Amino acid sequence: MAGLLSGLEVFGLKGMDNVNDIYDGEKKEEEQKKAEVEKDPVQIEQDMLFEKSFTCPICDIDFKSKTVRIGKAKLLKTDLDLRPKYENVDMLKYDVILCPHCGYAALSRYFKFITSPQARLIKENISPNFKHIKEKGVIYTYEEALSRYKLTLANAIVKKAKPSEKAYICLKTAWLLRGAAESLKKDEPDYEQKKAELTKEEDEFLRNALEGFLTARQTEGYPMCGMDETTVDYLIAVLAMRFEQFDISSKLIAGILVSHTATPRMKDKARDVKEMLVKQIKANQAKKGK
């Protein structure tokens, strides 16, 4: 039987006379999309990564670290406290750069920026006892990522980093713990216990983040951890509300709402927080009145 495009030889087009399925391209594309959906989550995450080269500013040795390819991760939304959530990958797992030779670890934002006195402190207090742990798989598990973050915090404490840097590490560690809790499957053993433990640890890191940012707000300039003053105030307000420090939260939110530099988007977010604050304060008062 002749193809749907038979007879096009008169136009000089050859080799198309056997075409009978004009929707073949769409079918193949649909099959490809279906295959991607059915692909193993670990494989999907691995496909978004590559090994990026770094030179350690402490020991001057080259090494590679897993990094998410630019443009590969699609932002889905952000939590109230600005934690970003991406499709198919938790970007937070890959924000720590760890030298496997000397144990120096830092968030990507701070990795290159270290003073000579700080480097000396790392060499004296981290490197002599550091033991590199070989990576288990093609992606970082939450457990591996959490260990890397805690080593980063230890480095920050040892090198006497600014309060803002330590607070930012604590904040991102808390976000990571939240991601770990969300990744738990409800049918796995001890689900409730594991989730409760992760949430408790998240709260501990968020409390330390709040303390650090409050200190940094009084002693440091802006931008702070890549954030302007309005963003830092908003973040502190949200964290303070979480731990029922309503006076701090209310004051900062009020400041954002009358600010001439705050963006319309930030003011909208501040209004949402204000509504939540009012409800929480009333609930807290009602609870105390009982």
Side-chain angles (χ1 to χ4, degrees):
M1 190 173 90
L4 292 171
L5 301 183
S6 61
L8 288 180
E9 293 84 354
V10 295
F11 294 106
L13 301 178
K14 298 180 179 180
M16 303 185 72
D17 54 329
N18 292 322
V19 173
N20 284 302
D21 190 347
I22 61 176
Y23 301 108
D24 185 49
E26 286 82 355
K27 288 179 180 178
K28 287 182 178 178
E29 187 176 337
E30 193 64 34
E31 289 173 359
Q32 184 178 352
K33 288 181 179 179
K34 185 177 179 181
E36 288 177 358
V37 171
E38 295 174 349
K39 193 184 291 185
D40 178 56
V42 173
Q43 182 62 50
I44 294 175
E45 187 168 325
Q46 182 188 4
D47 290 346
M48 301 174 77
L49 306 175
F50 76 105
E51 296 283 341
K52 186 174 180 179
S53 298
F54 296 93
T55 300
C56 179
I58 305 296
C59 65
D60 204 36
I61 298 177
D62 296 336
F63 66 95
K64 292 184 177 182
S65 183
K66 290 182 175 66
T67 306
V68 180
R69 296 180 187 276
I70 296 176
K72 279 288 186 178
K74 178 184 177 183
L75 180 66
L76 298 176
K77 67 172 187 175
T78 56
D79 289 346
L80 189 67
D81 62 2
L82 305 180
R83 170 212 173 201
K85 293 185 70 175
Y86 292 88
E87 186 177 33
N88 297 323
V89 64
D90 190 337
M91 295 272 283
L92 292 163
K93 293 196 293 181
Y94 302 95
D95 195 37
V96 167
I97 303 172
L98 165 60
C99 174
H101 305 287
C102 69
Y104 171 56
L107 296 178
S108 58
R109 173 181 296 278
Y110 298 104
F111 185 74
K112 294 180 181 179
F113 307 103
I114 187 165
T115 65
S116 296
Q118 288 178 325
R120 188 188 74 251
L121 289 171
I122 299 296
K123 288 178 181 178
E124 292 175 351
N125 297 281
I126 297 290
S127 301
N129 302 310
F130 172 70
K131 181 180 179 182
H132 177 59
I133 300 175
K134 190 175 181 181
E135 295 170 5
K136 297 177 181 178
V138 293
I139 66 170
Y140 292 147
T141 63
Y142 275 105
E143 184 180 2
E144 288 174 316
L146 182 58
S147 295
R148 294 167 68 88
Y149 269 87
K150 289 184 176 181
L151 181 58
T152 299
L153 182 58
N155 270 265
I157 294 170
V158 164
K159 72 180 184 182
K160 304 185 188 302
K162 290 181 178 180
S164 61
E165 182 177 347
K166 289 182 283 190
Y168 197 49
I169 295 168
C170 287
L171 177 67
K172 294 199 121 183
T173 306
W175 288 347
L176 184 78
L177 286 159
R178 192 181 308 166
E182 291 173 353
S183 73
L184 293 174
K185 295 182 179 179
K186 293 185 177 181
D187 59 350
E188 66 180 86
D190 303 318
Y191 167 78
E192 293 295 341
Q193 181 182 342
K194 290 177 181 176
K195 186 175 181 180
E197 289 173 352
L198 288 167
T199 301
K200 182 179 179 181
E201 195 170 5
E202 177 192 342
D203 278 345
E204 184 178 354
F205 276 99
L206 285 178
R207 286 183 189 277
N208 278 277
L210 174 59
E211 180 182 347
F213 280 123
L214 282 170
T215 300
R217 189 175 183 272
Q218 302 298 321
T219 59
E220 299 180 32
Y222 297 92
M224 186 184 296
C225 311
M227 298 181 285
D228 60 21
E229 185 174 0
T230 302
T231 304
V232 172
D233 281 357
Y234 169 83
L235 180 58
I236 292 174
V238 171
L239 295 178
M241 179 175 66
R242 183 183 180 109
F243 299 113
E244 298 185 352
Q245 297 184 33
F246 300 129
D247 53 339
I248 294 174
S249 188
S250 298
K251 182 179 179 181
L252 293 175
I253 289 299
I256 294 172
L257 291 175
V258 298
S259 171
H260 296 296
T261 58
T263 63
R265 180 173 175 273
M266 183 55 73
K267 287 192 175 185
D268 286 342
K269 293 173 77 68
R271 289 188 189 95
D272 291 339
V273 173
K274 183 179 179 179
E275 289 182 12
M276 297 174 68
L277 260 172
V278 172
K279 291 179 181 178
Q280 285 198 28
I281 291 172
K282 287 182 178 178
N284 192 263
Q285 290 172 341
K287 186 178 179 181
K288 289 181 178 179
K290 288 183 179 180

